[in-house]
Amino acid sequence: MKEITYSARKFNGINFIGFGGYVDTDYMASERADNEEGRERVKRRIKRRAKSKEKLLRLLRKARGEKILVLHYPPK
């Protein structure tokens, strides 16, 4: 099977959706927002997480039928 990061591939009638890059920004905010640089870094990470979430939702809507998510990080 080809690379599936941030994409969907169908194999034997089942959609495999690869997704990664998620980092818990709430944790990041509490641990690294003690100065201006840290707060800016957290803001950028929150924006990236929002874009990643939209990308994942598009992939899930696009793939019809059974789906298996292949994740890089645990979801929680």
Side-chain angles (χ1 to χ4, degrees), residues 32-41:
R32 299 188 181 169
D34 57 351
N35 61 42
E36 186 62 32
E37 182 182 334
R39 285 188 289 277
E40 288 302 315
R41 189 176 312 129

Side-chain angles (χ1 to χ4, degrees), residues 25 28-49:
T25 55
M28 296 288 295
S30 66
E31 293 293 316
R32 299 188 181 169
D34 57 351
N35 61 42
E36 186 62 32
E37 182 182 334
R39 285 188 289 277
E40 288 302 315
R41 189 176 312 129
V42 168
K43 285 180 188 178
R44 288 191 305 270
R45 197 170 286 269
I46 288 170
K47 285 181 183 179
R48 281 197 311 266
R49 181 173 75 169

Side-chain angles (χ1 to χ4, degrees), residues 13-74:
I14 299 173
N15 292 289
F16 288 81
I17 298 173
F19 197 76
Y22 173 83
V23 175
D24 185 351
T25 55
D26 298 329
Y27 167 78
M28 296 288 295
S30 66
E31 293 293 316
R32 299 188 181 169
D34 57 351
N35 61 42
E36 186 62 32
E37 182 182 334
R39 285 188 289 277
E40 288 302 315
R41 189 176 312 129
V42 168
K43 285 180 188 178
R44 288 191 305 270
R45 197 170 286 269
I46 288 170
K47 285 181 183 179
R48 281 197 311 266
R49 181 173 75 169
K51 286 181 182 180
S52 291
K53 180 180 175 182
E54 285 303 315
K55 191 174 221 176
L56 176 60
L57 291 175
R58 278 194 307 272
L59 287 170
L60 290 171
R61 283 190 295 264
K62 184 178 176 183
R64 302 284 184 219
E66 294 185 51
K67 301 170 187 80
I68 294 177
L69 293 177
V70 181
L71 305 170
H72 290 248
Y73 297 102

